[in-house]
Amino acid sequence: MGENYKGMAFSLEERLQLGIHGLLPPCFLSQDVQVLRVLRNYERQKNDLDRYILLMGLQDRNEKLFYKLLTSDVERFMPIVYTPTVGLACQQYGLAFRRPRGLFITIHDRGHISTVIKSWPEDDIKAVVVTDGERILGLGDLGSYGMGIPVGKLALYTACGGVRPQECLPVMLDVGTDNEELLKDPLYIGLRHRRVRGKAYDDLVEEFMKAVTDRYGMTCLIQFEDFANANAFRLLNKYRSEYCTFNDDIQGTAAVAVAGLLATLRTTKNKLSDHTVLFQGAGEAAMGIADLIIMAMEKEGTSREVATKKIWMVDSKGLIVKGRSSLTHEKERFAHPHKEMKSLDEVVKEIKPTALIGVAAIGGAFTEQILKDMAVFNKQPIIFALSNPTSKAECTAEQCYRLTEGRGIFASGSPFNPVTLPDGRTLYPGQGNNSYVFPGVALGVVACGMKHISDDVFLTTAEIIAEQVSDEHLKEGRLYPPLQTIQEVSVKIAVKVSWFLTITDVFYRIFSKN
């Protein structure tokens, strides 16, 4: 009853029709008054985890009021239902667990996943967010505790993109966990064995994709979320031309990062092709961002070969260079001729990048020396500390601004407070939040019933987000539009994506017939 329940906002006529007259106090309280009551309870909570539990409880019993509250101040509540608090909530999911939300499908359900999906009461699902819990934010393998991520993502589908909550389905594919602490945790809610891999895993995902589309149609959007690198790339490449699917960690993160870079160009007064980008990290986020940067550079007229040479990556073994042992296919594309180097500090001094992007979930990786060096090489160094949650950020906004003498152009994955500099200027750090991307893309895809999503959609999305950043925002240090405007941004993305996807689909059908 959650999505239809209005609490004391039910009129007398509605109470009589529903047979609940007498089950509620006689007073009629509007939703605005009920929001006030929730706010008072919210303010009494001592920490963000308690605030998360309060909001999830509200979502369970009065979904309309939950979304009324969420949309009343998106900037305030998003860090609770999404990053960074959702990461803490996933770590403590056994403690925070009140009532199951979403569908739990396990490796032992192989052979009858369609039956499990039939147990979901809604017949008209437009969007699914699925995880296997192996790489939750920068926190690693959280197994079934990772269900907090699809639940949080889909709450933003509704709050930011207007997709109806009853048309959204969060899914956990539980294949076990390699997290020893969870296997010993008496509160753990998932399978208590190590992760199943190989053919059995692939068969599970294959059967899941088919079962979802058999019940909900080929236009049902399936968003992959927080899969480990090897599976994320593999599954995206396997299914992107077969189903209506995208991977938010690869493509959503790419769009939001490139949006920030495109906005930055209005401050640096040059082209993206003029920049040298160094990534700390070479996983799915780095690869996704790098590929979209190359697409954007190609759009400026730079060849793919030249654009690729402007991108360097550092992984756990050091700088990715030609001839280095054990490079994956993805990493080989960004391996340039150069001597091997281990330390990020040394690499920064050697490569002298104009932009430094952190996506390796190593808190504090951008040291004082690195930030100072970036300010020596560049009049306006671009520093993106994109790892989530806040504890995994490569540096704080204050460190960036202070150590670059206020010249650094900063964005982060989790929110940071405004920073006042010694010269009296106050800068508002840009939050490169994927919620600028996936709700709008999802709304556009769902609205026009598309069957495939190309990478061009994410470059278009990045351009739209960057266009919403005013000159005034840039002066304040913002690289993204204010979160309060996120619904308007989502609608603009949805309109452009719908138009773009419809044209693409028409061409696809014409050429496939020929």
Side-chain angles (χ1 to χ4, degrees), residues 276-298:
T276 301
V277 183
L278 175 63
F279 285 90
Q280 158 68 5
E284 53 203 273
M287 295 298 169
I289 297 167
D291 283 337
L292 208 60
I293 288 173
I294 290 169
M295 278 184 70
M297 287 183 177
E298 285 182 297

Side-chain angles (χ1 to χ4, degrees), residues 459-505:
L459 183 54
T460 299
T461 297
E463 290 166 349
I464 293 166
I465 295 166
E467 284 166 11
Q468 307 311 307
V469 183
S470 68
D471 292 340
E472 196 58 44
H473 293 148
L474 289 170
K475 281 180 195 167
E476 294 176 341
R478 300 180 195 265
L479 297 181
Y480 297 95
L483 276 172
Q484 297 100 308
T485 66
I486 200 161
Q487 289 173 315
E488 297 156 45
V489 175
S490 294
V491 169
K492 285 187 168 80
I493 291 169
V495 169
K496 194 72 177 272
V497 163
S498 299
W499 175 83
F500 181 84
L501 286 173
T502 304
I503 296 296
T504 307
D505 196 50

Side-chain angles (χ1 to χ4, degrees), residues 2 28 35 46 54 58 70 82 85-86 103 146 148 189 227 246 251-252 266 280-281 296 311 403 443 445-446 481 500:
F28 302 103
V35 164
K46 294 184 174 62
L54 177 89
L58 178 63
L70 203 52
Y82 191 47
T85 308
V86 72
L103 205 56
I189 62 174
F227 284 71
F246 73 96
Q251 296 161 291
R266 283 164 46 203
Q280 158 68 5
I311 294 168
L403 294 167
L443 179 61
V445 169
V446 164
F500 181 84

Side-chain angles (χ1 to χ4, degrees), residues 46-164:
K46 294 184 174 62
N47 57 58
D48 284 346
L49 182 60
D50 288 344
R51 293 181 188 106
Y52 173 88
I53 291 170
L54 177 89
L55 292 182
M56 290 304 102
L58 178 63
Q59 187 181 15
D60 283 341
R61 70 177 183 275
N62 192 337
E63 208 163 47
K64 282 187 167 67
L65 190 58
F66 170 77
Y67 286 112
K68 174 88 171 174
L69 181 76
L70 203 52
T71 54
S72 71
D73 193 343
V74 174
E75 197 158 8
R76 181 180 184 183
F77 297 114
M78 191 182 287
I80 305 298
V81 300
Y82 191 47
T83 56
T85 308
V86 72
L88 175 64
C90 284
Q91 287 176 303
Q92 305 285 333
Y93 211 65
L95 195 65
F97 191 77
R98 294 292 182 274
R99 169 189 146 184
R101 291 193 74 85
L103 205 56
F104 292 83
I105 297 172
T106 79
I107 191 74
H108 308 305
D109 293 320
R110 274 180 310 152
H112 52 91
I113 291 177
S114 60
T115 307
V116 178
I117 288 178
K118 278 175 190 162
S119 67
W120 190 252
E122 298 291 345
D123 291 320
D124 188 20
I125 296 296
K126 296 284 200 301
V128 171
V129 175
V130 60
T131 188
D132 70 353
E134 190 170 4
R135 192 208 60 88
I136 297 297
L137 304 177
L139 303 169
D141 187 347
L142 296 184
S144 258
Y145 279 1
M147 181 55 123
I149 296 293
V151 169
K153 288 275 178 184
L154 287 169
L156 298 188
Y157 266 47
T158 300
C160 306
V163 181
R164 295 170 66 191

Side-chain angles (χ1 to χ4, degrees), residues 345-363:
D345 296 55
E346 290 174 17
V347 173
V348 168
K349 281 187 173 76
E350 178 82 10
I351 303 296
K352 295 183 172 55
T354 56
L356 184 58
I357 300 179
V359 282
I362 300 170

